[in-house]
Amino acid sequence: MAPHATTPPPTAHTQPHSHHSPSITVLASSRAVVSGRLTEATIIISTTTGKITAIFHSVLPASDFPEGTPYTDYSPCILLPGLVDAHVHLNEPGRTEWEGFWTGTRAAAFGGVTTVVDMPLNAIPPTTTVQGLKEKIEAAKGKCWVDVGFYGGVVPGNSGELKALVKEGVRGFKGFLIDSGVEEFPAVSTIDIALAMKELKDAPTTLMFHAEMIPPITASIGDDVQHSHPPLAPSGPLDHYSTFLDSRPPSFETYAIAEILTLAHLAPKLPLHIVHLSAIEAIPLLREARKNGINVTAETCFHYLSLAAEAVRTGDTRHKCCPPIRSQSNQDGLWAELMDEESGEGVIKTVVSDHSPCTPNLKLLPEEFASRKTGCGAGATVVQEGDDGDFFAAWGGISSVGLGLPILWTEGSKRGGKFGVEEVVRWCCRNTAKQVGLERTKGDLGVGFDGDIVVFDDEASFVVEPSTMLFRNKCSPYENKTLKGVVKETWLRGQKIFSREEGFSEKSGPAGKLLLEPRKSKA
């Protein structure tokens, strides 16, 4: 009997046939990632609790189960735990025209993501107070196709709200060290960070940072010139991606991370986390900090692992994000660090989408990139004549929720080596669940975990087009790209919520829960 089995196989000889509704659902495959390892598996899920009750490391036949038991052998497709995307901007309420719970979570389910954690901006109000969280919760009710958790925000003056937000169930906190782009979520100073660390030092949470900061000028003239404000003198035309890239160099990230690390002693037990790391120059800083006992980790994003600055065409503002997409050699360095995570040495532990959408007009996309099918850029109202393709005026953010698994599989498969489906599960399921305190219920296939399961065809491919971009505004740099790896089905707590052939379970409607039970552990 397999080590994960908790009961003998429930054969027809040991259990009489029942005229009642079956109490279990059975999924099997010759390939499944169970407890982080690829194996044969038969997974039994309680239809009452939605929990996995037993796993056998072999493919048991349907005849081993009572007549009428829902049973599917998905071989040779791979059974994966549902992905936990720990960095998503759903924007509702306040900017629902950018994205919302209904559309954002459907897009997630399409791509095998069964849990998303919503960032505290760009909703109005932001999740920086208990009242703001309550408004967010009210807006989400009845609209979520997958489970949704929430982050709180750290902004100047809200340190008194942080402990209360922990008690209300937020999964962690995020602050910006640079302008966030929206006025209701201002950047924090060193003083604000110190206050947050002191408030949260013993709390079961994670403090996260958008780590970009404008370094001070070391040689300036006059007392009034204290800081640089790029681009004071752009290095080239504003529709050239290289100009934008020059304006946000790696030093922005390294300077911000160094500042955070100097304050870590204020809360030595508090997990610190750098969101969307893009610059490989920051990796030695983080490695040294971990070596010295600082509890800090980092994430990177699907776009930093798959897109490169050299390939961004003039004016294609779909690629604008902050920190920016950097060079191909930088991308290679991120992959090298990520692959070293298994040894315990790597500082990049998780891969997330940072799905940060907006309405198409805010991207200021030139007509040549406008899609008649999606409307991205078509008929866009520019802020000022001549702004089309301006990387500085366009909104920064990449739309990709629900595309992450095939993006990662497509790029990783090209690289060979140690890369495989077990690595994907580690970065996008197990580690992301741990990051947000859900490691006991999400991110793995094991007894007692939620029956969140993805049926993944690793050999199939598809073209990214409107029918495969289910987020609200179908404006993404992945449009028209061919990706390898197709999610055939997505299961949430033992219920099939999406099928590539049949679509969504519209009759039953959204089955996602709001994950508001307070965290009990730190990452």
Side-chain angles (χ1 to χ4, degrees):
M1 188 179 299
H4 285 81
T6 56
T7 57
T11 66
H13 300 292
T14 58
Q15 293 190 18
H17 299 332
S18 172
H19 297 291
H20 300 290
S21 298
S23 59
I24 58 171
T25 297
V26 181
L27 282 63
S29 178
S30 57
R31 295 189 296 164
V33 181
V34 177
S35 297
R37 296 290 176 242
L38 192 62
T39 180
E40 292 186 358
T42 301
I43 303 169
I44 302 171
I45 309 169
S46 166
T47 56
T48 303
T49 66
K51 299 283 187 180
I52 297 173
T53 59
I55 299 179
F56 299 89
H57 286 290
S58 61
V59 177
L60 301 180
S63 58
D64 274 4
F65 299 92
E67 184 179 352
T69 297
Y71 172 98
T72 307
D73 180 356
Y74 289 99
S75 303
C77 289
I78 310 174
L79 301 183
L80 305 176
L83 274 66
V84 178
D85 192 340
H87 192 142
V88 175
H89 294 264
L90 292 175
N91 301 343
E92 189 175 4
R95 290 191 175 94
T96 310
E97 70 276 13
W98 291 19
E99 188 63 275
F101 289 102
W102 182 277
T103 49
T105 58
R106 277 173 77 95
F110 175 89
V113 177
T114 53
T115 305
V116 300
V117 188
D118 178 59
M119 280 291 164
L121 73 165
N122 299 303
I124 303 175
T127 315
T128 53
T129 64
V130 170
Q131 181 57 39
L133 175 63
K134 289 180 177 179
E135 292 188 43
K136 173 80 75 168
I137 292 168
E138 195 61 34
K141 287 180 179 177
K143 299 178 183 177
C144 299
W145 289 86
V146 302
D147 288 354
V148 177
F150 302 93
Y151 288 122
V154 176
V155 295
N158 85 323
S159 60
E161 293 274 351
L162 304 183
K163 287 182 179 177
L165 283 165
V166 172
K167 292 179 180 178
E168 292 292 328
V170 299
R171 315 307 307 178
F173 293 89
K174 179 185 181 182
F176 275 71
L177 277 73
I178 199 168
D179 181 20
S180 72
V182 292
E183 61 182 1
E184 65 275 1
F185 204 95
V188 290
S189 66
T190 299
I191 294 173
D192 300 316
I193 296 171
L195 286 172
M197 286 185 172
K198 290 175 182 177
E199 284 291 311
L200 297 172
K201 64 180 181 179
D202 296 317
T205 192
T206 301
L207 183 57
M208 311 184 302
F209 299 96
H210 178 126
E212 283 186 291
M213 199 172 183
I214 301 173
I217 294 176
T218 55
S220 58
I221 301 173
D223 293 338
D224 292 334
V225 185
Q226 297 295 317
H227 297 83
S228 61
H229 297 284
L232 290 176
S235 62
L238 300 185
D239 63 349
H240 286 202
Y241 186 73
S242 59
T243 308
F244 173 67
L245 188 59
D246 287 346
S247 77
R248 297 184 92 107
S251 59
F252 276 34
E253 292 188 69
T254 56
Y255 185 68
I257 289 171
E259 186 75 7
I260 293 162
L261 295 177
T262 62
L263 299 169
H265 68 279
L266 298 174
K269 296 180 182 179
L270 178 65
L272 306 177
H273 184 72
I274 306 303
V275 301
H276 49 50
L277 182 75
S278 83
I280 58 173
E281 289 83 352
I283 290 172
L285 283 174
L286 294 167
R287 281 198 171 218
E288 183 66 20
R290 287 176 61 83
K291 183 179 178 180
N292 292 332
I294 296 177
N295 189 359
V296 62
T297 56
E299 69 189 33
T300 194
C301 301
F302 302 117
H303 43 277
Y304 299 133
L305 296 171
S306 62
L307 304 174
E310 294 91 335
V312 180
R313 295 166 63 189
T314 299
D316 192 352
T317 52
R318 292 174 298 183
H319 292 79
K320 180 187 176 180
C321 59
C322 299
I325 294 162
R326 303 193 186 275
S327 67
Q328 181 63 56
S329 62
N330 186 89
Q331 180 192 120
D332 295 341
L334 292 174
W335 270 101
E337 183 68 10
L338 191 60
M339 293 301 293
D340 203 24
E341 193 271 321
E342 185 177 14
S343 72
E345 297 297 322
V347 298
I348 301 176
K349 303 294 184 183
T350 53
V351 184
V352 296
S353 70
D354 187 13
H355 175 65
S356 186
C358 66
T359 51
N361 64 299
L362 296 179
K363 275 295 186 184
L364 306 179
L365 199 63
E367 194 66 31
E368 64 184 289
F369 297 113
S371 168
R372 295 179 181 179
K373 293 181 180 179
T374 66
C376 184
T381 303
V382 297
V383 176
Q384 184 177 344
E385 187 175 355
D387 273 351
D388 279 15
D390 183 339
F391 280 100
F392 293 87
W395 174 260
I398 303 290
S399 292
S400 65
V401 69
L403 298 177
L405 176 56
I407 290 170
L408 199 58
W409 190 248
T410 301
E411 185 62 30
S413 297
K414 297 174 186 175
R415 294 177 176 269
K418 297 187 296 181
F419 177 81
V421 70
E422 293 164 316
E423 283 67 42
V424 174
V425 167
R426 187 168 67 249
W427 304 329
C428 302
C429 305
R430 303 185 80 190
N431 286 1
T432 45
K434 182 179 179 182
Q435 179 185 316
V436 296
L438 293 171
E439 68 273 21
R440 293 180 179 86
T441 56
K442 302 289 187 182
D444 206 349
L445 298 182
V447 173
F449 282 77
D450 288 351
D452 299 352
I453 298 176
V454 179
V455 181
F456 183 58
D457 186 341
D458 58 320
E459 293 295 333
S461 61
F462 69 100
V463 176
V464 179
E465 54 188 6
S467 64
T468 55
M469 293 188 288
L470 301 196
F471 34 85
R472 183 180 296 276
N473 294 294
K474 305 180 191 308
C475 188
S476 173
Y478 294 102
E479 185 178 0
N480 296 323
K481 292 184 182 296
T482 298
L483 299 179
K484 183 179 180 182
V486 171
V487 172
K488 305 290 285 187
E489 293 180 8
T490 303
W491 291 66
L492 181 68
R493 290 187 303 280
Q495 299 294 321
K496 184 166 61 176
I497 59 171
F498 168 76
S499 162
R500 194 65 176 252
E501 292 184 358
E502 301 170 359
F504 288 86
S505 304
E506 302 288 358
K507 289 184 179 180
S508 58
K513 292 182 178 180
L514 305 185
L515 304 175
L516 295 170
E517 182 179 348
R519 285 183 65 162
K520 294 181 174 63
S521 64
K522 299 180 182 180

